[in-house]
């Protein structure tokens, strides 16, 4: 079965360069093989108003409409006669750098993440695009339709497959103290471990238990041949309950202490920064 890449980038709104607090407001997707591109913008704009009560809604709308104009194209949607002008604007739709040329001009309040890739196929591309929307435009959906941890792990898997890494091991044989649960999702080049975790549990007790388990396992890990651990977390932390935010902050502190005490590099990153993080490791 032929595979091909979904290229994507996450748009963040940053109202203050000093505080550097961010909220995800859009997702740009490009599939060169399918001659498809689309900008998925946040629907629940009330969350932006609650995040930044001074935001200019007219300016915000103008940015969103401009990105839709620059990015929205589907080979199957248009006819030559009615959309000839649009076809002229998208003559580069099959080029790998198409997305970069369309989003690189934004800066300051609106910033796109580095472009990531996700390996897919004809029978999975529709679901993968929907899962990316569920991942990054999380609060646009009711609770029952939000992305699950299993779906996050599937995205992680497809993202890693698209990188064409020389040495990648799924579910490396690193078990908990009881020998039953595999602690990490992947090992890269025999010295980098990757694990997907979540901070958006409904119950604080469930979240606290998972984070404590991650900390405990990190403290017990044999790091003789490990140079780095990458913990990929979900985005959309700006609207989680205050207790969950406090748990996240404490988790970050514990991570820093482990790095110092065990001389171990641990990156806690959103999935949209994975390739950039791996590239920095190579440098």
């Amino acid at each position: 079965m032929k595979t091909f890449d979904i290229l994507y980038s996450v748009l963040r709104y940053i109202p203050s360069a000093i505080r550097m607090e961010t909220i995800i407001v859009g997702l740009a997707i490009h599939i060169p093989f399918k001659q498809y591109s689309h900008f998925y913008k946040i629907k629940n704009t009330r969350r932006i108003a609650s995040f930044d009560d001074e935001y200019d809604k007219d300016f915000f709308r103008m940015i969103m409409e401009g990105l839709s104009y620059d990015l929205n194209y589907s080979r199957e949607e248009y006819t030559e006669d009615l959309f000839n002008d649009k076809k002229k604007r998208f003559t580069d739709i099959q080029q790998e750098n198409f997305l970069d040329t369309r989003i690189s001009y934004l800066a300051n309040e609106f910033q796109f993440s580095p472009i990531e890739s996700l390996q897919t196929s004809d029978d999975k591309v529709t679901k993968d695009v929907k899962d990316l929307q569920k991942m990054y435009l999380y609060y646009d959906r009711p609770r029952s339709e939000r992305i699950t941890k299993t779906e996050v792990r599937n995205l992680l898997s497809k993202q890693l497959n698209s990188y064409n890494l020389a040495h990648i091991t799924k579910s490396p044989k690193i078990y908990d103290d009881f020998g039953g649960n595999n602690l990490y999702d992947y090992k890269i080049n025999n010295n980098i471990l990757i694990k997907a975790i979540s901070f958006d549990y409904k119950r604080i007790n469930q979240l606290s238990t998972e984070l404590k388990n991650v900390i405990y396992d990190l403290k017990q890990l044999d790091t003789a041949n490990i140079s780095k651990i990458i913990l990929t977390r979900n985005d959309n932390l700006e609207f989680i309950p205050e207790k969950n935010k406090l748990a996240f902050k404490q988790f970050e502190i514990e991570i820093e202490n482990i790095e110092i005490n065990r001389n171990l590099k641990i990156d806690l990153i959103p999935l949209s920064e994975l390739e950039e993080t791996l590239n920095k490791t190579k440098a």
Side-chain angles (χ1 to χ4, degrees), residues 75-89:
R75 170 184 60 187
E76 299 170 353
E77 186 177 348
Y78 306 112
T79 65
E80 190 70 39
D81 294 334
L82 294 177
F83 295 92
N84 191 48
D85 176 65
K86 191 161 193 173
K87 285 182 177 292
K88 287 180 180 178
R89 289 194 292 109

Side-chain angles (χ1 to χ4, degrees), residues 7 24 69 98 116 236-237 239 244 253-254 262:
L7 306 178
I24 293 175
Y69 178 83
F98 166 85
E116 279 282 357
N236 307 293
L237 298 182
F239 294 115
N244 293 33
I253 293 171
E254 293 288 347
R262 306 209 64 195

Side-chain angles (χ1 to χ4, degrees), residues 5 10 13 40 46 52 58 73 83 86 90 94 131 138 140 144 163-164 172 183 192 196 219-220 225 248 268 281:
D5 284 343
V10 177
Y13 173 55
Y40 297 92
R46 287 177 298 176
D52 175 24
D58 292 328
Y73 181 85
F83 295 92
K86 191 161 193 173
F90 287 87
Q94 290 181 279
D131 283 349
Y138 187 85
D140 272 353
S144 61
Y163 300 162
N164 297 315
L183 297 177
I192 300 173
K219 289 180 177 179
Q220 302 303 312
N225 298 311
F248 174 62
L268 178 61
T281 302

Side-chain angles (χ1 to χ4, degrees), residues 16-126:
S16 171
I18 298 174
R19 296 196 308 272
M20 288 301 292
E21 296 174 334
T22 70
I23 177 175
I24 293 175
V25 295
L27 172 70
I29 285 179
H30 174 219
I31 311 175
F33 178 73
K34 291 290 185 180
Q35 297 183 40
Y36 175 84
S37 175
H38 198 87
F39 177 66
Y40 297 92
K41 59 187 177 183
I42 188 172
K43 297 175 182 176
N44 193 345
T45 54
R46 287 177 298 176
R47 290 194 175 275
I48 304 168
S50 65
F51 178 75
D52 175 24
D53 58 7
E54 296 181 349
Y55 97 106
D56 185 335
K57 63 180 182 180
D58 292 328
F59 177 68
F60 184 88
R61 187 186 303 113
M62 181 187 72
I63 294 293
M64 297 296 106
E65 290 175 353
L67 286 167
S68 295
Y69 178 83
D70 289 338
L71 290 168
N72 291 0
Y73 181 85
S74 173
R75 170 184 60 187
E76 299 170 353
E77 186 177 348
Y78 306 112
T79 65
E80 190 70 39
D81 294 334
L82 294 177
F83 295 92
N84 191 48
D85 176 65
K86 191 161 193 173
K87 285 182 177 292
K88 287 180 180 178
R89 289 194 292 109
F90 287 87
T91 55
D92 57 343
I93 189 66
Q94 290 181 279
Q95 296 181 14
E96 291 291 324
N97 68 343
F98 166 85
L99 188 55
D100 185 53
T101 62
R102 295 300 201 278
I103 66 176
S104 59
Y105 69 92
L106 280 178
N108 301 321
E109 298 105 319
F110 295 91
Q111 295 182 20
F112 274 101
S113 68
I115 295 172
E116 279 282 357
S117 59
L118 188 81
Q119 194 173 82
T120 190
S121 57
D122 272 321
D123 61 332
K124 296 177 181 177
V125 62
T126 300

Side-chain angles (χ1 to χ4, degrees), residues 209-220:
T209 298
E210 164 141 359
L211 298 187
K212 286 178 181 177
N213 288 343
V214 173
I215 292 296
Y216 176 82
D217 293 333
L218 286 171
K219 289 180 177 179
Q220 302 303 312

Side-chain angles (χ1 to χ4, degrees), residues 170-199:
K170 185 175 182 179
S171 300
K173 295 179 180 180
I174 303 174
Y175 302 108
D176 61 20
D177 285 352
F178 301 97
N181 295 318
N182 212 316
L183 297 177
Y184 296 91
D185 298 313
Y186 290 92
K187 181 187 278 189
I188 308 296
N189 297 333
N190 294 319
N191 64 344
I192 300 173
L193 294 174
I194 300 179
K195 180 182 181 70
I197 59 176
S198 175
F199 287 101

